[in-house]
Amino acid sequence: MQQDRGQWGSTVGFVLAAAGSAIGLGNIWRFPYVTGNNGGAAFVIIYLACVLVICLPYLLAELVLGRHTQRNPVGAIAAIKRHTPWPLVGGLGVLTGVFILSYYAVIAGWAFGYIFKTVVAPGMPHAEFAASPAIVVPLFAIFIVLTVLVVIGGVEHGIERWAKILMPILLLLMFVVIIRGCTLPGAGKGLEFYLMPDFSVVTGRVVLEALGQAFFSLSLGMGAIITYGSYLPKTANLWVSGTSVAIFDTGIALLAGFMIFPAVFAMGKDPAQGPPLLFEVLPEIFTHMPFGGVVAVLFFVLLSIAALTSTVSLLEVVVSFFVDERRWTRSRAVWVVGGIAFVVGLPSLLSQGANTTLSEMSLLGNTSFLFIMDFLWGNLSLAVGALLLSIFVGWVWGITRAGEEMNQGSQAGPGWIRLWGFFVRWVCPVLILIVLINLFGVFGE
Ligand code: TRP
């Protein structure tokens, strides 16, 4: 069984693929608008603290569980504690994968559509674009099909090779946009908003959003890293590869902020305008630069690719479950799950102006079906999943056994294991729990 599952060619291959999963719309589209909504710099600091204190130790826990068991999230947990309710945590992860994919591909379809929109209809307002079913339904369908085709074809040879070439180009283009944005008159105000913290705006809700954003951005809490880690050879150094993924991902998110905020303030726009932020602001910057049209097309091509490597990982988790546990063929699993994600995604797709009921519904301050889904699955479910999984690795499987696996392929001393163990057993569950309780108002704001 283990021989059939395949492995990454190298640790670098894994880091690239996992970074490809992590880096996506979460960094470039979601991070800036969530930062904008939550007051700027103070949010960024809380976000960075969450990454360091909660997400990095937790990421290593998912990684070590995946490599040890060589299984999908359900199978990995069952391999350690069969005949208990624990594998249901993996099941929650698989379910979460379907739901996140369903609305994530909607936004990814927008990014894909903007490649053409910047050329064909640059003047069309974003709201009108997102509310036109004739435009967004085909884009959404195309994006789901693209994801399906990549996952059928095997992640290692397609996407991994692409990511190697295209991620550096995305980085380069981001620098081009950053330089243009920062040299616009009035850009300084944006840097101030992004870098000078005002902690008076911090509430319990802000902390939950920061934690949720950190989990989402690193693809944590639903077993994506378990799945990708399951294809790692025993010789790989988990400390180094896990930390590299976190550094890449966080770096790209921080750069996205530098790309957006100076320009937002220079052009007198509202940083707290929410999800349309990137789609409203970037096309305007492009009109203010030489060869802006070319840069715009390139930028949205690369953003689409970054999104594709993320949708691929979402689909891969669900597919690996059906292939490992239900013995489905890969192609059957891929088409069935892709089809389900499409159907489940339709209400999200139509909730951006096309249908009034779906667009105006609201839950705990999140408006529209799409953003309610994002809150429930992209925030809440990831935090609950991570809470349970850190308890599972830290207490049920145990740091001693997990530590032995950690140290295959590396020579970290016992002090490191103990430190990591302390974070996984205590810091992660306790802090996540506090944030969750706070959300439901037990501690008040
Ligand atoms: N991390 C990706 C992004 O930032 C999205 C993503 C891919 C994801 N796989 C995931 C989020 C698994 C949560 C869980 O765009």
Side-chain angles (χ1 to χ4, degrees), residues 14 16 56 59 83 85 88-89 114 213 226 242 354 378 397 406 411:
F14 162 77
L16 279 172
L56 179 57
L59 189 158
H83 307 306
L88 290 175
V89 180
Y114 263 65
Q213 172 60 28
I226 297 180
W397 186 23
M406 262 322 259
Q411 279 93 41

Side-chain angles (χ1 to χ4, degrees), residues 18-31 47 62 93 96-97 100-101 103-104 212-225 228 249 306-315 317 377-379 382:
S21 162
I23 297 169
L25 297 169
N27 307 61
I28 299 170
W29 161 74
R30 200 178 192 260
F31 175 76
Y47 171 79
E62 275 201 21
T96 304
I100 295 183
L101 177 60
Y103 69 83
Y104 192 95
Q213 172 60 28
F215 277 122
F216 185 89
S217 183
L218 287 162
S219 303
L220 299 178
M222 52 73 77
I225 302 293
Y228 274 29
D249 183 70
L308 186 61
T309 53
S310 299
T311 52
V312 161
S313 79
L314 289 161
L315 184 55
V317 172
W377 302 102
N379 243 309
L382 297 181

Side-chain angles (χ1 to χ4, degrees), residues 291-317:
F291 306 108
V294 181
V295 177
V297 170
L298 257 178
F299 181 85
F300 285 111
V301 168
L302 293 167
L303 182 62
S304 302
I305 290 164
L308 186 61
T309 53
S310 299
T311 52
V312 161
S313 79
L314 289 161
L315 184 55
E316 176 67 25
V317 172

Side-chain angles (χ1 to χ4, degrees), residues 32-107:
Y33 91 73
V34 175
T35 302
N37 277 356
N38 287 290
F43 175 86
V44 177
I45 291 173
I46 297 170
Y47 171 79
L48 291 176
C50 289
V51 170
L52 195 68
V53 173
I54 302 175
C55 293
L56 179 57
Y58 174 77
L59 189 158
L60 295 173
E62 275 201 21
L63 201 53
V64 74
L65 180 62
R67 188 180 67 173
H68 182 71
T69 57
Q70 317 262 300
R71 290 287 188 285
N72 67 88
V74 176
I77 297 173
I80 288 170
K81 274 273 174 251
R82 198 172 284 285
H83 307 306
T84 64
W86 279 106
L88 290 175
V89 180
L92 176 69
V94 170
L95 200 65
T96 304
V98 179
F99 282 112
I100 295 183
L101 177 60
S102 77
Y103 69 83
Y104 192 95
V106 170
I107 317 290

